[in-house]
């Protein structure tokens, strides 16, 4: 199922925050993405209604299996493409920004082909 780029970004952000924090709340997402709390509230409502997240009575947000699948795909693309661009000599900030754009528009087929041809893209030192 194709979802909007903004929804993919929210799901990926929830995944990344969940790796760093024991609980993810809307305010954490707003802070991370530098967006307003009302924007996050609307997005979380849409993601919840579409079955991508769950929110408990304390406001803690978790990904459903469907949400995790999308978030993991975006995160893998983002990290791989960022590292690849950095390895090609692109400034890290530019590489991360460009990877964030590319990750949403590249097809699964094209991404798999890139991965097959450059399988040794490793984490640069100093990055997560």
């Amino acid at each position: 199922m194709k979802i909007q780029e903004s929804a993919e970004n929210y799901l990926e952000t929830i995944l990344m925050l969940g790796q760093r924090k024991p609980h993810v709340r809307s305010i954490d997402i707003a802070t991370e993405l530098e967006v307003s709390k009302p924007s996050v509230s609307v997005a979380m409502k849409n993601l919840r209604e579409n079955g991508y997240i769950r929110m408990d009575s304390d406001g803690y947000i978790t990904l459903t299996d469907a949400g995790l699948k999308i978030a993991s795909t975006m995160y893998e693309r983002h990290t791989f493409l960022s590292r690849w661009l950095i390895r090609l000599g692109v400034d890290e900030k530019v590489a991360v920004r460009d990877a964030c754009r590319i990750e949403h528009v590249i097809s699964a087929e094209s991404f798999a082909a890139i991965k097959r041809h450059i399988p040794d893209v490793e984490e640069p030192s100093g990055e997560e």
Side-chain angles (χ1 to χ4, degrees):
M1 174 184 200
K2 179 67 179 147
I3 67 170
Q4 291 185 347
E5 180 178 329
S6 62
E8 292 173 341
N9 279 332
Y10 279 111
L11 293 171
E12 182 182 11
T13 299
I14 294 165
L15 175 68
M16 292 186 312
L17 287 169
Q19 293 171 347
R20 299 191 316 243
K21 302 172 70 85
H23 303 288
V24 178
R25 300 181 87 160
S26 292
I27 191 67
D28 302 319
I29 298 165
T31 301
E32 184 76 12
L33 292 176
E34 298 178 346
V35 297
S36 70
K37 179 83 165 66
S39 294
V40 174
S41 294
V42 169
M44 294 306 103
K45 178 179 184 261
N46 290 334
L47 291 173
R48 191 175 57 251
E49 287 176 353
N50 286 296
Y52 296 116
I53 65 164
R54 288 187 194 91
M55 188 177 295
D56 71 14
S57 59
D58 293 321
Y60 297 139
I61 299 165
T62 55
L63 297 167
T64 63
D65 288 343
L68 179 60
K69 182 177 179 184
I70 292 167
S72 298
T73 297
M74 292 300 106
Y75 185 70
E76 176 192 18
R77 289 178 180 185
H78 181 86
T79 55
F80 183 90
L81 292 166
S82 295
R83 291 177 189 147
W84 179 46
L85 292 169
I86 291 166
R87 193 174 95 182
L88 291 173
V90 177
D91 175 78
E92 183 176 355
K93 287 182 181 181
V94 174
V96 168
R97 185 180 62 236
D98 288 349
C100 190
R101 292 181 182 134
I102 296 167
E103 73 190 52
H104 300 286
V105 296
I106 193 168
S107 69
E109 180 181 357
S110 292
F111 183 67
I114 291 170
K115 282 179 56 177
R116 278 194 307 274
H117 283 72
I118 41 175
D120 63 336
V121 174
E122 296 179 17
E123 248 181 72
S125 60
E127 189 179 332
E128 309 182 283

